[in-house]
Amino acid sequence: MSKILRRVVCAAALAMVFSFPAGTRAQTSPAQTAPPPSAATQLETPGCAGKTAMQCVNLALDAMGGPGRLQQIKTMRMEIIGHTVLMEQSYRQAPFITSYERGEITLDFAGQRVLANEKATWPEADPGQADSEAKLIVGPDGGVIHTKQGDYPAPLGSLTAARQMLTLGPMRVLLTAADARDLRFEAPETLRGTPHTVVAFTWQKIPVRVLLNSQNHLPDAVETTQEFHDFWYFWGDVQQRIYFDNFELYHGVVLPTNLVEERNGTVWSSTQALKVEFNVAVDDKDFAMDAKAASASAASPGWKRPFHPGKVVALAPGVDLYPGSWNSTIIKQADGVVILEAPISGVYTSGVLDEAKKKYPGVPITAVLSTSDSWPHTGGVRAAVAQGLPVYILDLNQPLLDRMMAAPHTIDPDALQTASASTSAAANWKIVSGKIEIGTDANRLELYPLRGASTERQYMVYFPQHHLLYASDTLALNDDGTLYDPELMHEVAQAVARENLQVETVFAMHQGPIPWTQVTGALEKAQK
C-alpha cells in the first residue's frame, strides 16, 4: 500500500470523530408521540422512567446546553490531536504500532461542508519522511484531497467519514435521533459502572444506538453497525462504539472533547480537542475544489473496484503479471492454474479468477496464494473461499483469516455470505509453516516463510526454473531508486541466503520485475 494512501486513510479516521450540533431541535410529531411506557418498560429506561424515547432525547439535549444555544452554532473550528492503532499495518499484530495526528477541522453546518488540515506522523516511513500534511475538503457534491499539484478525488472512506461528522457526532446525533421516525428504547446497558438508557434509530439504513447517562442525561457513547470504506471494509458488518469523555463547558454548551473509537470490541483510535471555537468566519475559497475530482469521489466504488487486465507483463512462459495498485499473477502449470495473490476485494479477485478461466478455458484453478496478512492482500480471499478453492496461507495468519472468513457481511452480502452452508462452513486452507512445493513442471513453485521481525507474517514464492522470486509486500523502490524500507529487503535477502536460492529477478505486490542485483545494490547503499 502506498505511503500516501495509508496516510489518507489515517486522515479519514481522524476526520471522522468530531461532530457537533446544527439546525433546530426537532419537535415531537404525531408519528413519534407514544403513551407513557408501562411499568415493565420503566425498569428498562434508567433516568427516563415514565418518559417516551423522544422525551428522553430532549432531556439529553437540555443537558448539553439547550436548543437555543445549539441553534446559534453555525460553524465550528477545532484544534485536535490523536493517535490511531494500526491494526492493518502492524507487522507482528498486537500490540500494534501507532500513528499520530494533529490538525484543525472546520465544520460548516449550514453548507454541509468540512475542511480538515492534518499533520501526521507515520511510523513506517523512510528516515526523515515520517511527517506529512494533507488537506481534506468535503461538500455536498463530493470531496478532494487538496495538494500543491492539484486536487484528486478523496477516498470513499474520507467522504463518508466527513459526512457522518456532520450528522452522527456527539451532539448532532441527538438532533438526528429526534428526527428519526423509528426512535425507540432498547435494552439498557451499564457503562463505566453507571446504568444507561439506550435510545435507537436508523439513519440512512445504519442502525444507531445512543447510551444516555441515567444520572446526568448526557450521551456517553454512540454505537453503529455499518460497512466502512477504510480498511475495516474487509470485516463486513462492523460494530462501532465511540466513547465520549472529558466534557468541557464552552459558552454554555457542554462538549465531550475526547472521543475513543472502538471497532469490533477493540480500541482503534483516540482524539482530543485542544481548542474549540464557535461561529468562526469561513471563506468559500477555503472550500473550493476541483468539481471533476469531487464528482469522481462521490461516484467511487471504494474497495469494490473492478479488475481490468490492462497491460500484462510476461515474467516467463505461462507466468503473467497483471500490474495494478496491488499486483496479481496468473501461473499456468501442467495440472492447472495458480493465482498469486487475491487482493483488494471480492469483486477484484473474482475478476482475476475470471481472467484465468478465460485465458485457460476448462483448466482448473488448483491454488490461490495469499502471502501476507496485510488488509489489501487478503481482501479477495473470501471470494476464493466461496468458490471452494485451496488457499495457501502462512501459519501465523490463520487465526486472523479464520475471523475474517467468519465475519458477517449482511449489510452488503458478498459471495461467501451468500454461499451455501456447506461451502462456507470451512475454508480449504493449505498452511505454510515451512517449505512447500506446488507443481512439477517448469513453473514449479516453492513457498518459504520469511520469519523476519518485520516480515514475520509473510512468505515468499520462488520459481526455481526461472530464478524468479516473488517477495510479497517487502519491495518498493522510491523515485530515486532507494528502497522504501531497507529492513524488509534485508530480511528477504537473509531468507534467500538461508534457503540457498539462486535469484536473478524479483517482483512484489507493489513492484514490477527488477534485477536482484539492483535490489542487493540498493540494500548495500542503505547499510552504509
Side-chain angles (χ1 to χ4, degrees):
M1 183 180 183
S2 71
K3 290 179 280 185
I4 292 176
L5 182 54
R6 294 184 206 184
R7 289 168 176 170
V8 168
V9 170
C10 190
L14 178 65
M16 180 174 181
V17 294
F18 275 99
S19 168
F20 296 91
T24 61
R25 179 179 179 178
Q27 301 299 314
T28 304
S29 67
Q32 296 164 327
T33 302
S38 65
T41 305
Q42 292 180 34
L43 297 176
E44 300 174 356
T45 56
C48 286
K51 299 186 181 300
T52 66
M54 176 62 73
Q55 290 169 337
C56 195
V57 167
N58 286 340
L59 281 178
L61 284 167
D62 288 338
M64 299 186 78
R69 288 192 175 93
L70 300 184
Q71 291 168 13
Q72 294 171 9
I73 301 172
K74 305 302 182 183
T75 62
M76 175 179 290
R77 182 170 294 146
M78 296 172 291
E79 179 184 338
I80 57 178
I81 189 169
H83 68 269
T84 303
V85 178
L86 298 180
M87 301 176 188
E88 76 282 17
Q89 296 292 339
S90 294
Y91 293 129
R92 307 179 83 171
Q93 295 295 304
F96 303 103
I97 57 177
T98 305
S99 67
Y100 301 91
E101 306 88 36
R102 185 158 185 162
E104 181 182 86
I105 295 179
T106 302
L107 306 176
D108 174 15
F109 297 111
Q112 289 293 286
R113 301 182 296 184
V114 176
L115 173 63
N117 292 283
E118 182 209 53
K119 296 181 179 179
T121 300
W122 189 257
E124 297 170 330
D126 290 339
Q129 299 184 31
D131 295 326
S132 65
E133 297 186 20
K135 177 183 288 187
L136 171 69
I137 307 172
V138 173
D141 297 325
V144 301
I145 302 298
H146 180 73
T147 70
K148 294 180 180 179
Q149 292 73 36
D151 293 348
Y152 63 92
L156 189 58
S158 300
L159 188 63
T160 302
R163 288 174 172 171
Q164 290 192 15
M165 186 192 315
L166 295 166
T167 311
L168 297 180
M171 294 172 68
R172 179 58 179 147
V173 69
L174 294 177
L175 297 173
T176 303
D179 284 334
R181 290 185 175 275
D182 63 343
L183 182 66
R184 63 196 182 277
F185 287 122
E186 287 194 355
E189 293 191 26
T190 298
L191 184 63
R192 302 188 180 104
T194 300
H196 283 66
T197 279
V198 176
V199 293
F201 61 95
T202 305
W203 177 80
Q204 294 191 358
K205 299 183 180 181
I206 296 175
V208 183
R209 289 159 43 89
V210 185
L211 279 65
L212 302 176
N213 192 295
S214 62
Q215 305 298 321
N216 53 46
H217 303 295
L218 290 169
D220 278 339
V222 172
E223 299 177 352
T224 65
T225 302
Q226 58 181 297
E227 180 185 72
F228 287 94
H229 298 287
D230 48 34
F231 94 92
W232 290 91
Y233 167 78
F234 304 103
W235 293 94
D237 307 353
V238 175
Q239 307 295 320
Q240 178 199 57
R241 173 181 279 186
I242 299 181
Y243 296 90
F244 301 164
D245 207 347
N246 202 21
F247 285 83
E248 299 284 348
L249 184 64
Y250 288 92
H251 305 291
V253 176
V254 178
L255 306 177
T257 63
N258 179 254
L259 304 184
V260 176
E261 183 171 0
E262 180 182 274
R263 293 189 181 179
N264 283 350
T266 302
V267 173
W268 183 43
S269 67
S270 177
T271 307
Q272 173 66 43
L274 303 175
K275 181 180 179 181
V276 178
E277 298 176 274
F278 293 153
N279 293 323
V280 295
V282 295
D283 190 335
D284 288 343
K285 293 180 180 179
D286 293 333
F287 291 89
M289 50 183 155
D290 181 82
K292 185 177 180 179
S295 178
S297 73
S300 171
W303 292 110
K304 295 175 70 173
R305 65 188 71 175
F307 170 75
H308 298 294
K311 184 177 180 180
V312 181
V313 179
L315 302 174
V319 182
D320 295 314
L321 170 66
Y322 291 79
S325 299
W326 288 270
N327 297 334
S328 287
T329 305
I330 297 177
I331 305 157
K332 175 64 170 64
Q333 294 185 331
D335 61 346
V337 175
V338 175
I339 307 297
L340 177 50
E341 300 297 6
I344 303 180
S345 69
V347 172
Y348 189 92
T349 292
S350 293
V352 176
L353 297 174
D354 289 343
E355 176 68 16
K357 295 171 184 176
K358 177 181 177 182
K359 189 177 184 69
Y360 301 108
V363 179
I365 295 175
T366 55
V368 175
L369 312 184
S370 182
T371 70
S372 168
D373 70 329
S374 181
W375 53 287
H377 285 231
T378 61
V381 171
R382 285 176 59 94
V385 170
Q387 295 191 25
L389 300 174
V391 183
Y392 287 74
I393 63 173
L394 193 68
D395 49 6
L396 294 178
N397 295 339
Q398 183 177 357
L400 176 71
L401 287 167
D402 281 341
R403 295 196 302 272
M404 186 173 287
M405 297 309 104
H409 284 60
T410 64
I411 296 173
D412 183 16
D414 62 0
L416 186 56
Q417 181 70 34
T418 57
S420 66
S422 59
T423 300
S424 60
N428 186 5
W429 299 138
K430 303 297 182 183
I431 305 301
V432 180
S433 56
K435 177 183 176 181
I436 288 182
E437 295 187 8
I438 301 176
T440 58
D441 60 2
N443 289 338
R444 176 170 61 91
L445 307 175
E446 297 174 354
L447 316 183
Y448 297 95
L450 282 165
R451 304 304 197 201
S454 296
T455 58
E456 186 176 69
R457 296 177 184 272
Q458 300 181 53
Y459 66 81
M460 57 185 183
V461 181
Y462 181 57
F463 300 71
Q465 295 296 108
H466 307 304
H467 304 291
L468 175 67
L469 180 71
Y470 176 76
S472 189
D473 194 21
T474 62
L475 175 60
L477 296 180
N478 296 319
D479 293 340
D480 60 0
T482 59
L483 294 170
Y484 162 60
D485 190 333
E487 173 61 24
L488 296 176
M489 286 313 300
H490 173 63
E491 294 175 14
V492 172
Q494 287 180 319
V496 166
R498 181 184 69 227
E499 304 298 342
N500 296 310
L501 307 183
Q502 303 301 312
V503 179
E504 295 179 1
T505 305
V506 60
F507 69 112
M509 173 60 82
H510 305 296
Q511 181 66 55
I514 59 174
W516 178 246
T517 53
Q518 181 180 345
V519 172
T520 56
L523 186 57
E524 289 177 2
K525 290 182 180 179
Q527 293 174 325
K528 291 181 180 179

